[in-house]
């Protein structure tokens, strides 16, 4: 995101301009490879999932043997496909369902620490019921197991990881089958950086960035902006959520403010027409939405998502139509809960992490 003191930059100066979001992008995302969009916004696999494709690659040598044994190629292909199905469901699925006890214990210990951080810093998590919190926690762990988070010239802390993962989970919390397969690594900088990813000198105005080319599979993010997004819940801004919404938008091959993974074909065009009207209002100064959202339809969607998850009640009050559209897109109506409302248990009360120990003998020790 371009910082407020650089908001007068021309569109061509912004690192979020069209050269970083080309319609020719071919992101490595599950939805572009194996997901399709069906009625009512539900997502379903219509081909093979990733593990199935991996098993396919493992069995390719068998195809060569079958071709020599069967004179009729059609029989060979049918037999080969049958073997793939059997191998996948009998071996790979069984392997996945049998959790490594050591890994499971490690995850449980990590989650105790993460749960405390989520309760303290992430209002979206606070607003969930017990079952939803468990789901949120598992998705945080899944994200951290698949995406590498590194610090540039500093050591990443657990809180940094938890906030990045929470930023990824929040926009897609209603879509449990979708994952950011177009993201491999999140590179964190202490503060703002420039176009050459330098953290000192002039022209350091970038807080977060995703894109194509050298940025494919990568996200660059300001650590300071990450923490500000969760500590200041009155400014309608959250840089990390903004960038993850860009990745969602990018997943259909075109970063244009119309995330087809979240919209069905009947609502995509009306949504595009609506956001064009909203962009015009921002440019005319008739909106309280961040002026950066007026630079393009792409940026409007990400900026509106920040507003939606940071200040949902205010968005509903000032922009009721936009609020309802965002509810339909993200399949959820978030609740505004101040992170400061989190209260620690008494020393002799059960610890919030669920360990069964008293707070004084656990996280309060």
């Amino acid at each position: 995101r371009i910082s407020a003191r650089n908001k007068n930059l021309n569109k061509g100066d912004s690192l979020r301009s069209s050269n970083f979001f080309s319609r020719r992008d071919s992101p490595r995302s599950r939805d572009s490879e194996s997901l399709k969009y069906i009625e009512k916004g539900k997502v379903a696999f219509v081909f093979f999932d990733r593990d199935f494709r991996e098993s396919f690659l493992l069995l390719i040598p068998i195809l060569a043997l079958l071709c020599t044994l069967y004179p009729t190629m059609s029989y060979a292909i049918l037999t080969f496909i049958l073997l793939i199905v059997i191998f996948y469901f009998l071996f790979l699925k069984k392997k996945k369902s049998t959790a490594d006890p050591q890994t499971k214990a490690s995850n449980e210990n990590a989650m105790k620490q993460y749960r405390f951080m989520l309760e303290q810093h992430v209002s979206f998590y606070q607003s969930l019921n017990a079952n939803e919190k468990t789901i949120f926690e598992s998705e945080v762990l899944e994200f951290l197991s698949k995406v590498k988070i590194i610090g540039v010239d500093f050591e990443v802390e657990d809180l940094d990881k938890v906030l990045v993962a929470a930023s990824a989970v929040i926009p897609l919390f209603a879509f449990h089958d979708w994952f950011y397969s177009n993201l491999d690594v999140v590179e964190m900088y202490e503060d703002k950086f420039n176009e050459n990813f330098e953290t000192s000198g002039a022209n350091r105005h970038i807080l977060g960035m995703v894109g194509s080319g050298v940025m494919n599979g990568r996200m660059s993010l300001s650590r300071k902006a990450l923490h500000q997004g969760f500590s200041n819940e009155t400014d309608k801004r959250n840089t990390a959520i903004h960038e993850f919404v860009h990745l969602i938008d990018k997943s259909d091959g075109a970063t244009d403010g119309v995330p087809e993974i979240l919209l069905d074909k009947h609502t995509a065009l009306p949504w595009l027409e609506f956001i064009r009207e909203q962009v015009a209002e921002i440019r005319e100064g008739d909106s309280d939405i961040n002026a950066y959202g007026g630079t393009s339809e792409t940026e409007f969607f990400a900026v509106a998502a920040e507003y939606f998850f940071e200040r949902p009640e205010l968005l509903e009050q000032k922009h009721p139509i936009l609020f309802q559209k965002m509810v339909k897109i993200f399949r959820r109506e978030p609740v505004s809960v101040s992170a400061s409302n989190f209260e620690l248990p008494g020393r002799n009360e059960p610890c919030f992490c669920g360990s069964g120990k008293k707070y004084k003998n656990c996280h309060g020790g």
Side-chain angles (χ1 to χ4, degrees):
R1 180 194 303 166
I2 305 303
S3 64
R5 63 182 176 183
N6 290 284
K7 64 184 180 182
N8 293 323
L9 286 173
N10 294 327
K11 184 178 179 181
D13 296 327
S14 167
L15 285 217
R16 289 201 188 132
S17 57
S18 59
N19 61 314
F20 274 85
F21 296 100
S22 169
R23 290 177 178 271
R24 294 187 296 274
D25 287 350
S26 180
R28 293 167 293 151
S29 54
R30 275 170 62 177
D31 55 282
S32 62
E33 296 173 347
S34 59
L35 294 179
K36 294 294 181 182
Y37 321 114
I38 59 175
E39 294 295 330
K40 299 182 180 179
K42 295 181 180 178
V43 183
F45 285 103
V46 294
F47 191 54
F48 300 133
D49 64 14
R50 184 184 298 170
D51 290 326
F52 202 106
R53 294 195 300 273
E54 289 175 355
S55 66
F56 183 87
L57 293 175
L58 291 174
L59 294 174
I60 282 180
I62 300 177
L63 179 60
L65 178 62
L66 289 174
C67 290
T68 60
L69 296 177
Y70 291 91
T72 306
M73 182 61 67
S74 60
Y75 291 141
I77 293 175
L78 289 174
T79 305
F80 178 61
I81 293 175
L82 180 61
L83 286 174
I84 290 177
V85 174
I86 294 173
F87 182 82
Y88 176 65
F89 285 102
L90 292 184
F91 296 97
L92 290 184
K93 280 296 185 182
K94 182 178 179 180
K95 182 180 178 181
K96 286 182 65 178
S97 63
T98 306
D100 179 7
Q102 195 170 19
T103 301
K104 185 176 180 180
S106 177
N107 286 344
E108 289 177 353
N109 290 332
M111 198 61 249
K112 289 180 182 179
Q113 301 295 328
Y114 295 167
R115 188 177 294 120
F116 175 67
M117 297 174 188
L118 289 169
E119 287 283 11
Q120 279 195 311
H121 299 280
V122 183
S123 61
F124 183 93
Y125 174 85
Q126 294 176 30
S127 70
L128 304 176
N129 61 39
N131 183 57
E132 290 173 328
K133 284 183 177 180
T134 300
I135 296 172
F136 193 99
E137 293 163 7
S138 67
E139 293 186 357
V140 164
L141 286 176
E142 181 184 11
F143 179 89
L144 293 176
S145 71
K146 293 182 178 180
V147 177
K148 188 175 183 180
I149 302 174
I150 61 175
V152 179
D153 298 328
F154 74 92
E155 186 174 348
V156 174
E157 299 177 354
D158 282 345
L159 180 56
D160 300 324
K161 296 178 182 178
V162 168
L163 294 184
V164 170
S167 303
V169 172
I170 287 171
L172 288 175
F173 189 64
F175 301 84
H176 302 303
D177 291 330
W178 203 92
F179 187 76
Y180 297 92
S181 294
N182 52 357
L183 181 66
D184 301 316
V185 60
V186 176
E187 300 169 341
M188 296 186 64
Y189 297 83
E190 281 281 14
D191 203 344
K192 292 176 287 189
F193 49 95
N194 62 21
E195 299 167 356
N196 298 317
F197 302 98
E198 297 170 337
T199 56
S200 61
N203 300 319
R204 293 183 299 110
H205 51 254
I206 305 170
L207 300 179
M209 183 173 65
V210 295
S212 58
V214 296
M215 288 299 297
N216 235 355
R218 295 170 55 197
M219 175 186 293
S220 296
L221 191 63
S222 161
R223 183 192 200 186
K224 183 176 181 180
L226 170 69
H227 286 262
Q228 285 180 339
F230 286 95
S231 62
N232 187 343
E233 298 190 343
T234 62
D235 63 353
K236 302 172 287 189
R237 297 184 182 185
N238 188 304
T239 297
I241 288 179
H242 183 114
E243 298 304 329
F244 279 106
V245 169
H246 273 321
L247 286 180
I248 296 169
D249 189 10
K250 183 176 186 276
S251 65
D252 58 15
T255 313
D256 51 8
V258 184
E260 295 183 15
I261 186 68
L262 307 182
L263 292 167
D264 58 45
K265 60 183 179 180
H266 302 295
T267 58
L269 184 57
W271 166 249
L272 181 59
E273 294 174 350
F274 176 78
I275 62 176
R276 285 173 177 168
E277 295 173 359
Q278 296 296 303
V279 167
E281 288 184 10
I282 295 174
R283 291 175 179 175
E284 293 170 1
D286 297 331
S287 176
D288 73 322
I289 297 174
N290 187 343
Y292 191 59
T295 58
S296 68
E297 290 84 1
T298 298
E299 294 303 337
F300 175 83
F301 176 53
V303 167
E306 293 180 80
Y307 198 155
F308 178 68
F309 288 111
E310 287 286 299
R311 300 291 303 279
E313 294 173 354
L314 184 62
L315 181 65
E316 184 176 21
Q317 176 186 341
K318 291 184 173 291
H319 307 275
I321 298 177
L322 173 59
F323 177 82
Q324 290 302 324
K325 288 183 179 293
M326 298 297 276
V327 168
K328 290 180 180 179
I329 288 174
F330 291 107
R331 307 289 189 267
R332 185 174 186 86
E333 184 170 335
V335 179
S336 179
V337 181
S338 172
S340 62
N341 287 340
F342 173 67
E343 296 183 2
L344 294 173
R347 286 180 53 78
N348 291 313
E349 294 178 357
C351 187
F352 58 83
C353 72
S355 65
K357 300 179 182 178
K358 293 182 178 180
Y359 176 64
K360 65 181 181 181
N361 296 326
C362 195
H363 280 89

